[in-house]
Amino acid sequence: MCDNRIKKVIDNFKFKGDFVDVREFGSGHINKTYLVTFYNNGAEQRYILQQLNANVFKNIDGLMKNVFSVTSYLRDVIKEYGGDPDRETLHYIKTVDDKEYYRLQDDDSYYRAYVFVRDSISFNTAENADMFKSSGEAFGKFQRLLSGFDVDSITETIPHFHDTPWRYNNEFLPAVKANASGRLDTCQAEVEFVNKYAQQMDRLTSMIESGELPVRVTHNDTKLNNVMFDKDTKKCVCVIDLDTVMPGLALYDFGDSIRFGASTAKEDETDLDKVEMDLDYFKAYAEGFLGEAGEHFNQAEKDNLAFASLLMTLECGMRFLTDYINGDVYFRTEYPQHNLDRARNQFKLVADMDAKMEQMEQIIKNIQ
Ligand code: ADP
Ligand code: GN1
Ligand code: MG
């Protein structure tokens, strides 16, 4: 499946050896990912090539500068502690013109490439609590390693990314008002569900304003499939998908991981009886995350870990619902009701987290 267009893109990167194959890969909702295989010095060399979603990322220049500066910082830190920088962080490949990304003029599309993390695999669901704990360690370590990185040197490529009240007031409510897709009558109960939580949405943002919560360099998209596991040991080796590395809260990273990985079902499961918050997974992730980064966090951060899990789930559900009402213009969907199914799924999880909030808070207290 190698059309001329994609071959032209491949020819514009400094890949080593002879081209063998290119195929679509992965299950992200935003970028279009390809696995590219070359043959070099008697061995297969695999790369990831991605077409960036220019509708989502309006500042590709800023984004690519962010990921190059973060990964080069991480390489140095990883070398210092004697780790393997080729496996523990992303290794980007420049274009033949020595640029960070390639623009295909024919259709104004944008591409970047990096080395496929050797002997690694990603998962949409953790096979057991230990695997999920390992992802907590990986994202906690990511925070810890970047704790010395200058927050002000990072461009905020998607402003208000986890600003839940902003998303409610500036995206969700206007979408409901405009009803661009004409689908509003099919999702009234879901709209009411979001409105019911409006008063709780600014809890974290107001604590940033009051100085109680520190802004850090965070990943902001800590889904389980954004970390690569060693294919044999099933331990995490490398955090990937660095497009949203921006100033944020440690709580966003914790909460988003719980949203995706501590659910007993996939993000788009339509049998809502299957969707629950698994407290054993919650505990395992919290142990991993706090074990790596906990000593850097203040008490307000620790006290809000359980609430942040609910808030990130609510925010994500609200974003899926907003996109459904807008007519599916942001997230990649596979069928017309996909975003609504995702939203319903997330709201079921929010309701379950609400019911289990005291237990989640107790779990965090027991770990500290
Ligand atoms: P998206 O922004 O669309 O989610 P990702 O950067 O997460 O894109 O990539 C999609 C998938 O491609 C990942 O879930 C993972 O399976 C695979 N992938 C991405 N980068 C690498 C890499 N460097 N090595 C191995 N697999 C990767
Ligand atoms: C998108 O790119 P991906 O699939 O890792 C989205 C996240 C959402 C997630 C929901 C840039 O993540 O914010 O939480 O889908 N990324 C962007 O699954 O909007
Ligand atoms: Mg991803």
PDB file of all heavy atoms in Angstrom, residues 27-29 221 223 225-226 240-241, ligand 3:
ATOM      1  N   SER A  27      -3.596   3.146  16.938  1.00  0.00           N
ATOM      2  CA  SER A  27      -5.012   3.446  17.085  1.00  0.00           C
ATOM      3  C   SER A  27      -5.261   4.805  17.741  1.00  0.00           C
ATOM      4  O   SER A  27      -6.195   4.969  18.507  1.00  0.00           O
ATOM      5  CB  SER A  27      -5.698   2.337  17.900  1.00  0.00           C
ATOM      6  OG  SER A  27      -5.062   2.231  19.162  1.00  0.00           O
ATOM      7  N   GLY A  28      -4.406   5.785  17.465  1.00  0.00           N
ATOM      8  CA  GLY A  28      -4.601   7.136  18.013  1.00  0.00           C
ATOM      9  C   GLY A  28      -5.811   7.813  17.371  1.00  0.00           C
ATOM     10  O   GLY A  28      -6.224   7.453  16.268  1.00  0.00           O
ATOM     11  N   HIS A  29      -6.376   8.801  18.078  1.00  0.00           N
ATOM     12  CA  HIS A  29      -7.560   9.501  17.564  1.00  0.00           C
ATOM     13  C   HIS A  29      -7.211  10.750  16.759  1.00  0.00           C
ATOM     14  O   HIS A  29      -8.097  11.443  16.276  1.00  0.00           O
ATOM     15  CB  HIS A  29      -8.434   9.989  18.726  1.00  0.00           C
ATOM     16  CG  HIS A  29      -9.034   8.900  19.549  1.00  0.00           C
ATOM     17  ND1 HIS A  29      -9.085   7.587  19.151  1.00  0.00           N
ATOM     18  CD2 HIS A  29      -9.622   8.938  20.766  1.00  0.00           C
ATOM     19  CE1 HIS A  29      -9.673   6.876  20.095  1.00  0.00           C
ATOM     20  NE2 HIS A  29      -9.996   7.672  21.087  1.00  0.00           N
ATOM     21  N   ASP A 221      -1.571  13.853  27.921  1.00  0.00           N
ATOM     22  CA  ASP A 221      -2.339  12.863  27.149  1.00  0.00           C
ATOM     23  C   ASP A 221      -1.818  11.480  27.532  1.00  0.00           C
ATOM     24  O   ASP A 221      -1.207  10.772  26.721  1.00  0.00           O
ATOM     25  CB  ASP A 221      -2.147  13.141  25.654  1.00  0.00           C
ATOM     26  CG  ASP A 221      -3.029  12.261  24.777  1.00  0.00           C
ATOM     27  OD1 ASP A 221      -3.858  11.496  25.317  1.00  0.00           O
ATOM     28  OD2 ASP A 221      -2.871  12.328  23.544  1.00  0.00           O
ATOM     29  N   LYS A 223      -2.757   8.446  28.085  1.00  0.00           N
ATOM     30  CA  LYS A 223      -3.449   7.190  27.811  1.00  0.00           C
ATOM     31  C   LYS A 223      -2.459   6.031  27.835  1.00  0.00           C
ATOM     32  O   LYS A 223      -1.293   6.210  27.482  1.00  0.00           O
ATOM     33  CB  LYS A 223      -4.055   7.250  26.396  1.00  0.00           C
ATOM     34  CG  LYS A 223      -5.377   7.917  26.336  1.00  0.00           C
ATOM     35  CD  LYS A 223      -5.719   8.404  24.952  1.00  0.00           C
ATOM     36  CE  LYS A 223      -5.878   7.384  23.880  1.00  0.00           C
ATOM     37  NZ  LYS A 223      -6.659   7.928  22.737  1.00  0.00           N
ATOM     38  N   ASN A 225      -2.061   3.741  25.788  1.00  0.00           N
ATOM     39  CA  ASN A 225      -1.399   3.476  24.508  1.00  0.00           C
ATOM     40  C   ASN A 225      -0.402   4.571  24.116  1.00  0.00           C
ATOM     41  O   ASN A 225       0.129   4.572  23.013  1.00  0.00           O
ATOM     42  CB  ASN A 225      -2.406   3.182  23.386  1.00  0.00           C
ATOM     43  CG  ASN A 225      -3.322   4.349  23.087  1.00  0.00           C
ATOM     44  OD1 ASN A 225      -3.036   5.487  23.456  1.00  0.00           O
ATOM     45  ND2 ASN A 225      -4.432   4.080  22.410  1.00  0.00           N
ATOM     46  N   ASN A 226      -0.139   5.497  25.047  1.00  0.00           N
ATOM     47  CA  ASN A 226       0.909   6.485  24.812  1.00  0.00           C
ATOM     48  C   ASN A 226       2.172   6.168  25.604  1.00  0.00           C
ATOM     49  O   ASN A 226       2.983   7.049  25.920  1.00  0.00           O
ATOM     50  CB  ASN A 226       0.404   7.898  25.128  1.00  0.00           C
ATOM     51  CG  ASN A 226      -0.502   8.403  24.013  1.00  0.00           C
ATOM     52  OD1 ASN A 226      -0.372   7.966  22.868  1.00  0.00           O
ATOM     53  ND2 ASN A 226      -1.409   9.313  24.334  1.00  0.00           N
ATOM     54  N   ILE A 240       5.538   8.021  24.913  1.00  0.00           N
ATOM     55  CA  ILE A 240       5.488   8.547  23.540  1.00  0.00           C
ATOM     56  C   ILE A 240       4.370   9.597  23.397  1.00  0.00           C
ATOM     57  O   ILE A 240       3.806  10.028  24.396  1.00  0.00           O
ATOM     58  CB  ILE A 240       5.283   7.413  22.495  1.00  0.00           C
ATOM     59  CG1 ILE A 240       3.946   6.704  22.740  1.00  0.00           C
ATOM     60  CG2 ILE A 240       6.431   6.418  22.555  1.00  0.00           C
ATOM     61  CD1 ILE A 240       3.479   5.859  21.561  1.00  0.00           C
ATOM     62  N   ASP A 241       4.061   9.980  22.178  1.00  0.00           N
ATOM     63  CA  ASP A 241       2.993  10.943  21.854  1.00  0.00           C
ATOM     64  C   ASP A 241       3.180  12.244  22.638  1.00  0.00           C
ATOM     65  O   ASP A 241       2.347  12.628  23.469  1.00  0.00           O
ATOM     66  CB  ASP A 241       1.605  10.326  22.141  1.00  0.00           C
ATOM     67  CG  ASP A 241       0.505  11.042  21.357  1.00  0.00           C
ATOM     68  OD1 ASP A 241       0.781  12.130  20.810  1.00  0.00           O
ATOM     69  OD2 ASP A 241      -0.624  10.529  21.311  1.00  0.00           O
TER      70      ASP A 241
HETATM   71 MG    MG B   3      -1.480   8.527  21.084  1.00  0.00          MG
END
